[in-house]
Amino acid sequence: MLLIKSLYRIVLISSLFFTNIVFAQELDFNTIPKNYYLHPLDIKLNLSGSFGEIRTNHFHSGLDIKTNQREGYPVYAVADGYISRIRVQIGGFGYALYVDHPNGTTSVYAHLQKFNPTISLFLKNHQYKLQSFAVDFPLTPIEIPVKKGDIIAYSGNSGSSGGPHLHFEIRNTKTEQTINPLLFGIKVEDNIKPVINSLYLYTLNDDPFSEKTKKQLIPITGNNGNYKLTQATPLTVNSRFAFGISAYDMFSGNANKNGLFNTRILLDGVNIFETVIDQLYFDHTRSVNAYIDYPAKFSLGRVIEKGFALPGAKTSFYKNMINYGMIELKDQEVHEVQYILRDYSGNESTLKFNIKSVSNSIPEKTAIRGKYFNYLKDNKFENEEIIVNFPKGILYDDLDFIYSKTPKSGSALSDYHQIHNRLTPIHAAFELQIKVAPEYLSFKDKLVVVNSAGASQGGEFFNGYIKAFPRSLDKFSLRADTIAPRISPVNITDGSNLAAASRVSFKISDNLSGIKSFNGYIDGEWVLMEYEPRTATIWHTFEKHIKGKHTFKVVVTDLKNNTRTVEYNFLK
């Protein structure tokens, strides 16, 4: 049962005045026995990725279980249930299975090599029905029931996997909220305390957090759970400030640096900030960019977990916060701070130090230079060349929105439009419209919006503009895609004898907008083409009944409907 609580109260403690906000979105884990779930692999559970750890533009939604750098380990249903969903993605999870259990949870298995024969038959039939390699479809409880310990698949490296492993999740079936599997008794050996690398002090005023927010690296020393500042005297602070930390956790016998489970900041013994990595809603996952110091990550590659929250941040990891974790001292007394990190196994590390305010004044708010965007509202900017719409909810804080442009050059078919800067994260896509010059209207349906790296953001013609929905702020312009995708045969030429070949393969690529579809045909009949995006390879595995002389045709179309077709005669 999902319990969502939001409690708001005003608290006055000592020399601090603050608002105490308690965030909790909890599932009653105690109703599920700790032995309910079997391990999904019959090998020692070593993790290369932990639940909720920080990834590019998302929190990790499950456990990444190592498979000894190989594929093909049997994957077991962790409890009784039924196959509720079969999914094949180009990228993403690759081959994935979902099993619904009678206790209200769903287990997820991803980056698989292949499914068991029964599931594989269901998949193939559906792919041929839709004439598509990528599919995602539900099943009813009576179609493929499974028992705890049944082999449902084999571990692999499909989709956007960086190496052989099993991605494993447990979700709330009703809400699809993903839950830390370690909370259900799935054990991983761990007797290592979290490691603290560095402390950061942020000086704050009434300005929204941005790349201009002042921060200072504070040298620390220590190990084995005990850390302190290198300086013996109290850390001096201004009137309003907050902290950030660079740290990681590890599991026993494993060299991987994983994410933290529980972080607390105590001021004079009072818990002013806490996160617990327990449950995650998928529509919150991009909030990772508000959870960290995004400008530091983007420009320096440095992951700093902020000990304070932005007002528009969306994540259930925040549990207890006083004034969003920001501290405002009203005196010049010495105060004690404890930064406490704890992993799921209870191993704990503490950074303890003293602070003292040297100023009661808060720096003045910086004057607005551009256009003020309120994070709680819809916001719009437009001129004679562009229209920019920021829907409510995509900003994590108020924004002093800055726009500029530079003249077009090279293959650009519009000026370059700088939409604020790349150091400001957004939670979802914004609407961008760039006006099409009259001389380009004759091929308006071939135009796309591209970012500063030349990557297509898509786009469709609408009322004289190309409308696209980028997910990051950047510099944008228009380009045309009039070139059809490229198809290069790997093991076939016209007249090839493929009697000894189990499959026929091709390399495919596109120059700009990206591949929309690929299809194969034998003697005019559609056949399944599988796809590996990392090698840009598509292939068809021959059925046993294919004998004699045939034709093989491949048709590839990009997102601007440029199409290329190749056709070969072959013997089998």
Side-chain angles (χ1 to χ4, degrees):
M1 180 179 180
L2 183 66
L3 303 175
I4 302 177
K5 304 176 182 177
S6 298
L7 306 177
Y8 301 87
R9 56 184 177 177
I10 304 298
V11 180
L12 182 65
I13 296 181
S14 182
S15 58
L16 293 169
F17 179 75
F18 41 71
T19 303
N20 188 39
I21 304 176
V22 178
F23 293 84
Q25 296 178 332
E26 301 172 344
L27 189 68
D28 186 2
F29 308 118
N30 295 323
T31 62
I32 299 175
K34 293 299 182 183
N35 63 350
Y36 187 89
Y37 299 103
L38 183 75
H39 284 191
L41 295 170
D42 190 21
I43 57 176
K44 183 178 180 181
L45 222 58
N46 283 322
L47 302 185
S48 59
S50 59
F51 177 83
E53 70 183 16
I54 294 164
R55 302 285 178 89
T56 300
N57 291 325
H58 69 284
F59 290 109
H60 190 231
S61 59
L63 303 180
D64 282 348
I65 304 172
K66 291 186 175 185
T67 57
N68 301 319
Q69 299 182 342
R70 53 161 281 194
E71 301 182 39
Y73 282 105
V75 175
Y76 302 96
V78 295
D80 292 353
Y82 71 96
I83 304 297
S84 59
R85 182 181 179 188
I86 299 174
R87 188 179 192 186
V88 177
Q89 286 180 285
I90 297 173
F93 276 177
Y95 287 83
L97 287 177
Y98 300 69
V99 178
D100 282 10
H101 306 291
N103 67 352
T105 65
T106 298
S107 55
V108 182
Y109 316 77
H111 304 307
L112 301 168
Q113 180 193 66
K114 60 182 179 180
F115 304 142
N116 73 21
T118 299
I119 300 170
S120 293
L121 183 59
F122 266 79
L123 169 64
K124 190 171 183 179
N125 288 339
H126 204 79
Q127 288 172 319
Y128 270 84
K129 178 182 177 181
L130 298 181
Q131 294 193 356
S132 175
F133 167 66
V135 293
D136 185 358
F137 60 98
L139 288 81
T140 63
I142 63 172
E143 289 180 283
I144 310 182
V146 297
K147 301 295 290 183
K148 185 177 185 177
D150 283 353
I151 295 175
I152 56 175
Y154 295 86
S155 66
N157 189 31
S158 61
S160 300
S161 172
H165 73 283
L166 173 68
H167 176 91
F168 175 72
E169 297 179 7
I170 294 178
R171 298 184 183 181
N172 181 318
T173 303
K174 184 176 181 180
T175 66
E176 289 228 7
Q177 183 185 37
T178 184
I179 308 159
N180 192 336
L182 298 182
L183 297 172
F184 295 105
I186 293 177
K187 297 295 185 183
V188 181
E189 185 180 348
D190 182 8
N191 54 24
I192 300 174
K193 297 179 180 180
V195 176
I196 304 175
N197 284 328
S198 52
L199 174 72
Y200 293 85
L201 171 66
Y202 291 84
T203 300
L204 306 172
N205 59 6
D206 290 326
D207 289 343
F209 178 82
S210 73
E211 73 279 5
K212 297 177 182 178
T213 300
K214 182 181 177 182
K215 66 173 172 284
Q216 177 185 356
L217 173 62
I218 308 300
I220 65 171
T221 184
N223 56 54
N224 196 31
N226 296 303
Y227 296 85
K228 62 181 181 179
L229 305 189
T230 57
Q231 66 186 61
T233 57
L235 177 65
T236 56
V237 297
N238 289 318
S239 183
R240 185 183 296 166
F241 58 96
F243 295 106
I245 201 165
S246 177
Y248 62 88
D249 190 31
M250 299 179 71
F251 296 97
S252 297
N254 197 331
N256 292 80
K257 296 179 179 180
N258 300 117
L260 306 173
F261 175 69
N262 176 220
T263 300
R264 289 186 295 150
I265 302 176
L266 275 59
L267 178 64
D268 295 330
V270 177
N271 192 0
I272 65 168
F273 179 86
E274 182 174 10
T275 60
V276 180
I277 311 303
D278 54 359
Q279 304 174 64
L280 173 67
Y281 288 101
F282 283 99
D283 60 353
H284 291 176
T285 191
R286 279 182 68 91
S287 279
V288 67
N289 293 329
Y291 190 84
I292 63 172
D293 182 338
Y294 183 78
K297 174 70 163 56
F298 186 90
S299 58
L300 303 173
R302 186 178 302 157
V303 177
I304 304 171
E305 298 188 31
K306 299 204 302 287
F308 59 103
L310 303 185
K314 304 170 182 66
T315 173
S316 55
F317 294 162
Y318 295 126
K319 301 302 177 185
N320 295 282
M321 292 194 296
I322 295 175
N323 197 31
Y324 296 100
M326 294 180 287
I327 303 170
E328 188 173 333
L329 296 179
K330 299 296 186 182
D331 59 36
Q332 279 77 49
E333 301 297 322
V334 174
H335 299 269
E336 183 187 71
V337 175
Q338 295 181 70
Y339 228 122
I340 304 172
L341 311 182
R342 182 176 61 88
D343 64 25
Y344 179 75
S345 297
N347 303 301
E348 191 171 277
S349 294
T350 300
L351 169 60
K352 186 183 296 186
F353 56 96
N354 292 327
I355 59 173
K356 181 178 181 180
S357 176
V358 294
S359 172
N360 288 331
S361 63
I362 297 174
E364 292 186 4
K365 187 173 182 177
T366 304
I368 298 294
R369 297 189 302 116
K371 183 173 183 179
Y372 174 72
F373 280 9
N374 187 321
Y375 80 96
L376 291 172
K377 299 180 179 180
D378 294 331
N379 296 279
K380 185 175 184 177
F381 174 88
E382 63 180 318
N383 59 28
E384 65 278 3
E385 295 184 48
I386 68 161
I387 300 172
V388 177
N389 284 306
F390 279 25
K392 176 183 175 181
I394 74 166
L395 292 175
Y396 297 118
D397 207 340
D398 295 340
L399 180 66
D400 181 6
F401 177 80
I402 304 295
Y403 164 80
S404 63
K405 73 172 183 176
T406 52
K408 66 181 179 181
S409 62
S411 59
L413 303 182
S414 73
D415 290 337
Y416 297 100
H417 301 280
Q418 182 68 56
I419 308 302
H420 200 67
N421 65 55
R422 295 191 293 167
L423 299 177
T424 300
I426 55 175
H427 192 70
F430 70 99
E431 180 187 295
L432 173 62
Q433 298 184 41
I434 301 179
K435 193 169 187 177
V436 180
E439 60 266 33
Y440 305 132
L441 288 173
S442 61
F443 51 92
K444 61 183 182 298
D445 292 333
K446 299 297 183 182
L447 298 179
V448 295
V449 174
V450 298
N451 63 14
S452 61
S456 173
Q457 308 298 296
E460 298 296 332
F461 184 77
F462 176 78
N463 288 344
Y465 293 78
I466 299 298
K467 181 195 291 187
F469 294 90
R471 293 175 64 84
S472 299
L473 306 182
D474 203 342
K475 182 185 292 183
F476 300 96
S477 61
L478 296 180
R479 282 181 58 185
D481 184 359
T482 59
I483 301 174
R486 182 178 179 182
I487 306 173
S488 302
V490 174
N491 66 336
I492 187 173
T493 58
D494 198 47
S496 289
N497 187 336
L498 300 180
S502 61
R503 68 186 194 181
V504 59
S505 303
F506 303 83
K507 297 278 190 178
I508 61 174
S509 60
D510 187 62
N511 72 311
L512 184 55
S513 61
I515 291 171
K516 179 172 72 173
S517 65
F518 53 89
N519 290 282
Y521 303 86
I522 294 180
D523 302 331
E525 294 290 327
W526 188 90
V527 294
L528 177 65
M529 301 292 293
E530 299 180 69
Y531 184 35
E532 172 48 72
R534 286 169 300 192
T535 61
T537 303
I538 59 173
W539 67 90
H540 170 70
T541 302
F542 290 115
E543 302 286 351
K544 291 182 179 179
H545 68 269
I546 297 295
K547 303 291 183 182
K549 185 178 180 179
H550 303 276
T551 62
F552 199 102
K553 182 170 70 172
V554 176
V555 181
V556 180
T557 302
D558 68 19
L559 289 163
K560 283 298 165 180
N561 295 317
N562 302 298
T563 297
R564 189 175 302 279
T565 301
V566 297
E567 189 168 336
Y568 302 93
N569 296 305
F570 72 97
L571 295 172
K572 189 75 172 79

